[in-house]
Amino acid sequence: MENKAQYHEQFTIERLYPNVKDEVWAAWSEREKKAEWLGAPALEMDFRVGGSERSTFREAMGEHVNEGRYFEISEGGRIVLAYSMALNGRVHTVSLTTIVFVNEKRSTRLIYTEQMCIMPPSDGLEGRKHGWGVLLDALGKHLEIVKVKNTIF
């Protein structure tokens, strides 16, 4: 696929978190909480329909910039956003993402679906799946701390 100017992929990741939906929703909708589990202390986030989000990080390959816009926010139920990823100023993926939050007794099922346009060179589908797997695991660790705090107090 590297010889194509662009190609399209899609993936879905599900996680079941032992937290009530309000706690999981807050981790996505409140800037301070999202910045913590995302590992992006300088996260810029305007969580509203039409609002934007921007984060950056630097590593051995260079500077990564993620920029997005919120298209739908169904309170406590669904977030639809589009975002791009750039490395050293060159956009290599643009994605439409849907995050769904489902009550399951005292837990919350999160369903993360991403549809991508990949413009090589890029780490593509496998890189994105791996990255979101790591981030959703970090979200799980953040939510464990929330659960402990809510149990103690």
Side-chain angles (χ1 to χ4, degrees), residues 86-153:
L87 174 59
N88 298 322
R90 188 186 78 76
V91 173
H92 59 91
T93 60
V94 178
S95 298
L96 175 64
T97 304
T98 305
I99 304 109
V100 176
F101 303 78
V102 180
N103 274 326
E104 290 198 11
K105 298 185 182 179
R106 295 181 186 188
S107 298
T108 303
R109 180 167 304 280
L110 184 136
I111 306 163
Y112 179 96
T113 302
E114 185 165 329
Q115 300 164 299
M116 309 168 59
C117 176
I118 303 161
M119 297 154 285
S122 175
D123 59 356
L125 176 67
E126 291 309 314
R128 190 60 50 78
K129 282 174 64 175
H130 171 77
W132 273 108
V134 169
L135 289 172
L136 294 176
D137 290 346
L139 171 59
K141 290 176 184 161
H142 167 83
L143 291 168
E144 285 175 14
I145 294 166
V146 169
K147 192 165 187 68
V148 168
K149 285 181 181 177
N150 288 343
T151 302
I152 292 172
F153 298 106

Side-chain angles (χ1 to χ4, degrees), residues 44-55:
E44 298 170 23
M45 183 175 157
D46 179 10
F47 189 72
R48 63 180 175 85
V49 173
S52 62
E53 182 173 303
R54 186 174 196 276
S55 63

Side-chain angles (χ1 to χ4, degrees), residues 75-93:
E75 186 69 30
R78 180 176 54 227
I79 300 168
V80 178
L81 68 111
Y83 76 100
S84 63
M85 289 187 68
L87 174 59
N88 298 322
R90 188 186 78 76
V91 173
H92 59 91
T93 60

